[in-house]
């Protein structure tokens, strides 16, 4: 008698459906099993996403964070000359220092004597200066502008780095019989001065610094074009506080030069310097910004994960 075993045998579900049914809470809930199987499959696909697919996202996030940090917290600048030797290197033949400039501090405090600052050259400093050379190629100009935003290329404005010697309302002049600069008639304590050639400073002043301005000079005292000479000297050499971009905090490159930038107040006697605010307090605004960056990254990851999950559920 012919066998009808194959016809009598019930149909077997395929392997995927069997596994989904086995994972379901109840054997009869086949719909729930299939949903759980699809969710597990999507989860495995997300875990197995190749790195090259994630790389563009990582690059975009990194650029956005770099832009925000450079615009609002801190920015890296290259030292273009030797006017701040030996505090900052920019001499011919040496590797120029790259410094991290804190752009937050002066939102809470006023610039002080001894601060090393980066500032935009005021109009009086730029009179007769040749314009910054730029390429005629539009695409190259675009790349240069993007590079300047992220600290990868020189900025398109005339920026300077000097040390604040006197602030608005103070009277500065040079020099007393010991070759020291005077502010309001008192000699300055300037251990950071670097001498090239003659150790004698050229006389100037007295000059009363306009309100909301600062008087700046280079540490390489006899090789610095600063408030003594720019704009013809006098009040025209002072720098408006609004032109200050930020305070130089750290030398970040080259690695052999890593360290903080001295902000010794020359108007305080050496023995009284300890009465000033500790360095860690002066760095609080920048530190707070850097600490806040990590939670921002974590929150971004969680939001991104939730968004991907929502998209997956709609599918």
């Amino acid at each position: 008698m012919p066998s009808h075993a194959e016809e009598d045998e019930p149909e077997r579900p395929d392997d995927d459906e069997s596994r989904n049914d086995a994972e379901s809470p109840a054997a009869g809930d086949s719909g729930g099993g299939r949903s759980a199987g699809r969710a597990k499959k999507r989860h495995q696909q997300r875990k197995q996403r190749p790195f090259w697919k994630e790389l563009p996202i990582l690059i975009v996030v990194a650029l956005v964070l770099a832009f925000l940090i450079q615009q609002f917290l801190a920015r890296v600048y290259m030292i273009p000359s030797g006017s701040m030797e030996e505090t900052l290197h920019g001499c011919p033949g040496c590797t120029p220092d790259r410094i991290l400039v804190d752009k937050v501090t002066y939102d809470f405090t006023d610039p002080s004597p001894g601060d090393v600052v980066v500032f935009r050259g005021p109009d009086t400093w730029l009179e007769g200066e040749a314009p910054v050379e730029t390429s005629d190629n539009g695409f190259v100009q675009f790349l240069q502008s993007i590079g300047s935003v992220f600290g990868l290329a020189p900025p398109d404005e005339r920026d300077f780095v000097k040390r604040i010697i006197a602030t608005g309302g103070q009277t500065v002049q040079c020099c007393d019989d010991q070759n020291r600069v005077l502010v309001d008639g008192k000699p300055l304590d300037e251990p950071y001065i670097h001498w090239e050639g003659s150790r004698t400073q050229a006389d100037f002043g007295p000059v009363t610094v306009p309100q909301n301005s600062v008087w700046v000079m280079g540490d390489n005292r006899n090789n610095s074009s600063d408030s003594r000479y720019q704009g013809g000297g006098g009040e025209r050499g002072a720098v408006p506080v609004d032109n200050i971009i930020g305070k130089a905090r750290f030398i970040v490159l080259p690695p052999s030069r890593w360290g903080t930038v001295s902000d010794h107040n020359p108007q305080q006697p050496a023995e009284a310097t300890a009465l000033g605010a500790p360095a860690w307090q002066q760095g609080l605004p920048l530190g707070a910004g850097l600490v806040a960056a990590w939670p921002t990254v974590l929150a971004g990851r969680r939001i991104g994960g939730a968004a991907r999950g929502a998209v997956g559920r709609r599918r």
Side-chain angles (χ1 to χ4, degrees):
M1 188 173 183
S3 173
H4 299 283
E6 292 181 1
E7 296 177 4
D8 296 336
E9 183 176 333
E11 294 181 1
R12 298 177 182 269
D14 58 27
D15 293 340
D16 289 339
E17 292 181 352
S18 298
R19 283 195 296 269
N20 290 341
D21 290 341
E23 291 172 1
S24 61
D29 189 10
S30 59
R34 284 192 295 271
S35 299
R38 286 194 297 268
K40 184 176 180 180
K41 187 174 182 181
R42 285 197 301 269
H43 178 70
Q44 290 175 343
Q45 289 175 344
R46 287 199 299 269
K47 288 183 62 177
Q48 297 173 358
R49 181 178 295 174
F51 176 73
W52 64 267
K53 288 186 177 181
E54 299 284 353
L55 185 59
I57 300 175
L58 294 175
I59 292 176
V60 170
V61 171
L63 290 176
V64 170
L65 289 177
F67 173 80
L68 294 175
I69 291 173
Q70 296 263 17
Q71 290 297 112
F72 302 108
L73 295 180
R75 185 172 179 177
V76 175
Y77 284 83
M78 182 185 73
I79 302 303
S81 71
S83 67
M84 284 297 293
E85 292 284 349
E86 291 181 325
T87 302
L88 302 174
H89 283 351
C91 56
C94 67
T95 302
D97 288 343
R98 266 73 170 179
I99 56 174
L100 184 67
V101 175
D102 173 5
K103 304 177 73 171
V104 178
T105 292
Y106 296 136
D107 291 335
F108 302 94
T109 62
D110 294 326
S112 303
D115 290 355
V116 176
V117 295
V118 172
F119 57 92
R120 292 181 296 275
D123 293 340
T124 54
W125 283 47
L126 303 180
E127 292 175 353
E129 292 279 343
V132 179
E133 294 184 2
T134 57
S135 173
D136 295 332
N137 187 300
F139 181 70
V140 173
Q141 290 179 354
F142 171 76
L143 293 180
Q144 288 177 337
S145 62
I146 295 297
S148 67
V149 169
F150 293 104
L152 303 176
D156 55 4
E157 68 266 11
R158 289 296 181 90
D159 297 336
F160 298 82
V161 57
K162 305 291 180 187
R163 189 182 297 271
I164 297 176
I165 300 299
T167 56
Q170 294 186 317
T171 299
V172 57
Q173 66 185 97
C174 184
C175 290
D176 67 1
D177 55 3
Q178 298 184 42
N179 193 40
R180 296 176 297 184
V181 174
L182 303 173
V183 173
D184 291 339
K186 298 179 181 179
L188 300 184
D189 174 52
E190 299 188 276
Y192 43 74
I193 290 182
H194 174 67
W195 300 105
E196 287 186 0
S198 174
R199 299 177 65 89
T200 301
Q201 303 187 65
D203 292 339
F204 67 88
V207 178
T208 299
V209 182
Q211 293 295 335
N212 300 315
S213 297
V214 294
W215 184 270
V216 297
M217 297 171 70
D219 290 358
N220 192 354
R221 191 55 50 89
N222 289 335
N223 188 23
S224 173
S225 182
D226 45 43
S227 291
R228 297 170 293 175
Y229 308 109
Q230 295 282 6
E235 292 185 3
R236 287 170 55 85
V239 176
V241 170
D242 289 343
N243 281 47
I244 296 178
I245 296 171
K247 179 177 179 179
R249 290 288 188 182
F250 306 103
I251 301 173
V252 296
L253 286 174
S256 60
R257 293 271 299 156
W258 283 348
T260 58
V261 178
S262 164
D263 60 356
H264 171 75
N265 187 342
Q267 297 186 22
Q268 291 182 352
E271 61 272 14
T273 302
L275 298 178
W280 68 269
Q281 291 182 4
Q282 297 177 10
L284 278 178
L286 176 59
L290 295 177
V291 170
W294 179 241
T296 302
V297 174
L298 291 180
R301 289 179 179 174
R302 292 184 178 180
I303 293 173
R308 288 194 295 269
V311 172
R313 285 193 294 271
R314 291 193 185 98
R315 291 176 181 175

